Amino acid sequence: MPISGASAAIRGRPRRPVRQPRWWRCRRAMAPDRAAELRLYGLNAVQAVFARRPQAIRKLYLAEARIPQLQPLLKWCAAHRIGYRVVADADLQKLAASAHHEGVVADVLREAPQPLSSWLRTLPAGPQCALWLDGVGNPHNLGAILRSAAHFGVAAVLLPKQSTLALSGAAARVAEGGAEAVPLVRLGRTDNAIAQLHGAGFTLAATVVRGGEPLFARALPPRLVYVLGAEGEGMDPDLAAACDLRLSIPGTGAVESLNVAAATAVLLAEWARARPRMAAGSKAKGRSI
């Protein structure tokens, strides 16, 4: 009488591995690598990827109403054998895990953050501004920060070595295309990163709720890194102590502070306001040399 797999295992015989049907093995082989891919949603987020790196698009889902507006993208997908499907609104909500899909969802390849040294090598001379995010974790705050950063021409968003912050579909939608305009840069050890930034002519400014110089009364340096901490906890005290400046945004005191995304917009607007003067000063210095 044949012995069952369970009985064979009990009696010490090796169990024969269960062989999955062929269709299941094929499905597993074609399954996307979720660590390497990102599911985007929102019209501006998807169109920004198409404009800058269309080769990153792996699959597209859209509402019928979006077909006329997305004709260039659909033609590109057809020419490059990228699958796309017209689906119902309920399916788009499930795919995006959000009602804010704006009629389009796309699976795209993630763009890995650059190392700091690589970013510094390609950075143009003259006035530059970057953001160092210390502890910021909310995806909607990240998206709003990226949107402001793109609007004001920020050179990069710097992520600490141990930070788990990464672009998500929600952050990309809130950024409204800004995630493709501003590179993410991965830092190494904090002391090494500070030394590299100083070597490239950057001044680091810790942004604090109280106890800093008033932002609007301070002449800002042309190459500046704003260091921003998480709401509530703030930034690491050792990092704040290592910065060259401490800046605060003055207010009425009716509320304790702005949230990190709103504060970033104010900080960047002040830097952008002074940028023409900085650029003129850099040109005059170059002529005198």
Side-chain angles (χ1 to χ4, degrees):
M1 182 177 179
I3 299 172
S4 68
S7 298
I10 292 170
R11 298 190 183 190
R13 297 184 187 180
R15 180 185 295 179
R16 180 179 297 176
V18 177
R19 186 172 178 81
Q20 298 288 1
R22 188 167 181 268
W23 66 266
W24 175 261
R25 297 198 303 274
C26 292
R27 179 182 173 188
R28 290 290 298 271
M30 293 186 296
D33 181 358
R34 290 302 175 196
E37 289 189 8
L38 170 66
R39 177 155 288 174
L40 293 182
Y41 55 94
L43 187 61
N44 287 336
V46 172
Q47 287 189 320
V49 173
F50 176 53
R52 179 172 168 262
R53 48 188 190 107
Q55 72 284 355
I57 298 172
R58 287 294 174 264
K59 197 157 189 179
L60 183 71
Y61 308 88
L62 69 155
E64 187 174 2
R66 285 294 187 199
I67 292 175
Q69 196 169 7
L70 294 174
Q71 275 297 310
L73 174 53
L74 296 176
K75 289 178 181 177
W76 190 92
C77 287
H80 293 82
R81 298 187 177 184
I82 300 298
Y84 66 87
R85 291 177 58 191
V86 177
V87 298
D89 182 80
D91 293 321
L92 288 171
Q93 287 195 38
K94 289 178 183 177
L95 288 163
S98 170
H100 304 293
H101 52 73
E102 299 174 5
V104 60
V105 175
D107 291 334
V108 305
L109 292 177
R110 285 186 178 275
E111 191 169 27
Q114 303 176 45
L116 178 60
S117 55
S118 300
W119 174 69
L120 288 173
R121 276 197 300 270
T122 60
L123 192 65
Q128 298 289 343
C129 184
L131 302 173
W132 180 322
L133 303 186
D134 181 55
V136 176
N138 183 290
H140 291 90
N141 278 339
L142 175 60
I145 287 169
L146 287 169
R147 185 174 183 175
S148 295
H151 180 77
F152 290 110
V154 165
V157 168
L158 312 180
L159 303 177
K161 182 178 180 178
Q162 305 301 332
S163 173
T164 58
L165 186 63
L167 189 67
S168 65
R173 184 193 66 81
V174 174
E176 295 286 355
E180 290 297 313
V182 182
L184 299 180
V185 172
R186 179 69 65 186
L187 304 175
R189 265 178 34 188
T190 299
D191 55 348
N192 287 345
I194 292 173
Q196 287 178 276
L197 290 165
H198 281 160
F202 280 97
T203 298
L204 274 66
T207 56
V208 295
V209 173
R210 59 184 66 85
E213 296 181 70
L215 173 67
F216 309 124
R218 180 67 160 81
L220 297 177
R223 291 170 82 86
L224 176 64
V225 175
Y226 284 122
V227 183
L228 300 151
E231 291 182 49
E233 296 178 6
M235 73 182 67
D236 181 271
D238 292 335
L239 177 58
C243 290
D244 308 295
L245 305 174
R246 294 172 68 89
L247 298 175
S248 298
I249 299 173
T252 63
V255 293
E256 183 181 17
S257 64
L258 299 172
N259 84 356
V260 67
T264 298
V266 174
L267 293 163
L268 294 180
E270 180 62 14
W271 184 84
R273 185 187 67 80
R275 182 165 44 189
R277 171 185 55 77
M278 298 172 187
S282 296
K283 289 179 181 178
K285 184 177 180 181
R287 285 195 298 271
S288 67
I289 293 172

